[in-house]
Each structure stands twice: as C-alpha cells, then as structure tokens.
Amino acid sequence: MRWNAQQLNQPPLALEGVPAAAPLLPLAGLVKSVQTPGFAGITFHEVLSKSALNKVPATSSMPFEWTVNPYRGCSHACVYCFARKTHTYLDLDAGADFDSQVVVKVNVAEVLRREVHKPSWCRAHVALGTNTDPYQRAEGRYRLMPGIISALADSGTPFSILTKGTLLSRDIPLLQAAGRQVSVGMGISLALLDEGLAAAIEPGTPAPRSRLALIGKLRDAGLPCGVMSMPILPWLTDSEECLDALFAALAHAGATGVSAGALYLRPGTREWFMQWLAREHPALVGRYRRLYSQGSYAPRDYRQWLAARVNAAKRRHGFGGTAGFMHDPRQEEAAYPAGSLPIGGSGHRTPGGGTARQGSTKQDSTKQDSNRARRRAGAAVTAPALFDAAPMLF
C-alpha cells in the first residue's frame, strides 16, 4: 500500500539537529525523523498510523489472514530479504535505504488495541514479522512489541511472531502470560551457522549462536519455537555437511519444528543480492545467473534435489514429522514449522483453504527432549566449512 493511504495527514517536522527548513523526507504523515549516536547510519522516521491490522489478500497462500508490522525497513540488512521491494512504495530504494531508513509506527499499539476491541473483530490469527522484523534493533528504542502483545492477548486474539532478533528474550515473561490467555506461535529465522557468512550476508542480525540460545530460552520458558531455515543458499549452505550441522544444532537447541526453502530472488532483492555476490563470491555469479535465469525461484530440479537433502537431514535429527520442504514454490512460502503458528486459532488457513496444521510425532518430541537435555549439559555445536555443494548440473 502507498504511504499516503496509511498515515495521518500530519505536517513533517525537522530531523533532529537539522534546521527546520530541511526535513529529510517530504512525506505526508511524517511526525519526526531521528538520528542518534547509538544507531549510527540509521534514520528513524516516526509516523502516526491510521490502522495497525493489515488484511492479507484472499489469493495469498499464507496460513493467516491478518498481519501487524510496527516497522518498515529493517536494520538487520539481510542481503536476501524478500521485502526489500516494499520500500520502493515509499519512494525509497530497495538497497541501502531499506537497511537504513526505518519507518516506525509509534502509535501502532494504541491503534491495534482499538481495532481488536471492536465488536466486529473476529479474533483471527494475527502474524507479526511477516514483512520486516518486529525485534530489529529499533525495538530496543521504541518498545512497541509489549503493547502489541498485550493488546492481542487481552482481546483474545491468537498470534504468532517470526524474528531473528534476540531482543525477543526481553518479552518472554509477557509472552508466557499471553500464552495463558490465547494460543501463541513463536518462530525464529535461522538458516546458517557459519558466523563469517552470517556477518557478511545478514550483518545487522544477532549471530547464529545467539539465536540458538534464544530457541533454548523460549523452550525452557514453556513456549513453542519453530524455526524457518530460509533461505538455503546454493553452493554456500546447501551441502550435506552444512544442512546436517544446522538441523543438529536446531534439535540440540530444542526447536519444535523446522521448515526450509531455497533462496528466493524477487525483483528488488535480486539486484541487491547479485551486487553482494559479485563482491563476496564472484566465482558464483555465473552459476546464480543460470540457476535463476527463469525467474525469482530456483528451478524445480534444484528444489527437488535440495528437498531430498533437507528432509534426510531433518529425519536424522528428529524433525521427520514436522512441516518440510515443498516443491511448489507458492506452498513453500507458506510452509510454517511446528510451534510457529498458534494452535486452534480461528482465521488461519492453508493454501488449499483448510485449517493449517502443525505438529510432530511422539518420536520426534522424545528426541527433541533428549536434545534439550544435552544442550543444558553444554555440548558444543560446530559450523562446517563452506564448499562447493550443489551439483554441477545446476
């Protein structure tokens, strides 16, 4: 949606420390633009939003019908982020601006509370973290999520959160309390263990080991925690060694389920990612161009090849009964792992129109409990070296 459709008609104020005659962005609805020493290189654009709930189109394959996004843009700066193009709707670019120009809906919790307490509200599943991360670094400054969580729980609305942000641990007590009122799904995004690669391709995110620790904290708090292992990167993280180490670490941390999928390069993301690849791994540029020559998705043959590796590694580590890797890319986007969606909440759907199901087998649960015990004992988790993984036919 365009910016003007979402914001109140407030006159923009000046950037802090800059004369009032030179506002950073001449956008209707802008209240204030802020730069602070603690967030070097990032500008926060504080806005007042008219609405908090976003309706998911009926044609979408997503297993939910409503979302809330307290932020637009994301300082996690993941090179592969599929949401980059959405920044162009604000007349900002999908590259550096997406990483550094963060829109903050400062009144989102208050607006949401009004919306979910209307008699007409159906208490449908609301998903957070579907576009940009609600626990990116800005959340440490603005603290929007506690108000959002409370508004949803107090209204009897089931919800889910997907994040890479370890700041989530701040709100674990609040999430435990919410879980006594409504069904809550928790999801962590983690697709690689190599900390050098993570620092290069998702430079604003907490390190993989920190996210593994967060999974353990959520599970020890009695909360579910599914993991979205996306994207798997051709020739960088798709080897048997990388996948086996990843799923071993997730099982050891206590994840309730895992889903995985190949890199998705939609316009806006593709250009930024290929620039990064040319700088960091120039030998792979030709291979990626061939692999993604037909569009945003890797070809079916590659996805089937990768699915076999993913599913074998998942079975070895007790995730055989949880949501897996799907060959249809439209369903692949909607594959949410066990624990990441609320159970029994109204309003969440499958691509076929039914109710989304999650779960793992009793054998899987037993193995995951054993892995949690090993984690508490302090067993080490190691990351494999990167090497040429995908077969040459790709």
Side-chain angles (χ1 to χ4, degrees), residues 235 270 273-292:
W235 296 288
R270 185 189 190 100
F273 180 87
M274 293 303 291
Q275 289 178 35
W276 174 87
L277 193 69
R279 291 194 308 271
E280 301 290 331
H281 299 279
L284 294 180
V285 170
R287 292 185 182 184
Y288 270 78
R289 284 176 178 161
R290 290 191 294 273
L291 191 64
Y292 288 88

Side-chain angles (χ1 to χ4, degrees), residues 224-247:
C225 185
V227 176
M228 298 282 279
S229 291
M230 300 181 186
I232 304 299
L233 303 169
W235 296 288
L236 291 173
T237 62
D238 63 354
S239 70
E240 288 184 353
E241 186 182 6
C242 284
L243 294 170
D244 193 72
L246 175 62
F247 294 126

Side-chain angles (χ1 to χ4, degrees), residues 156-200:
T157 301
F159 64 91
S160 62
I161 298 172
L162 176 64
T163 184
K164 290 185 174 80
T166 52
L167 184 59
L168 171 68
S169 62
R170 179 200 68 193
D171 293 340
I172 284 178
L174 186 59
L175 289 165
Q176 288 175 303
R180 292 189 285 270
Q181 297 173 270
V182 298
S183 182
V184 175
M186 299 301 306
I188 300 299
S189 176
L190 178 58
L192 57 90
L193 296 181
D194 184 281
E195 301 216 352
L197 179 59

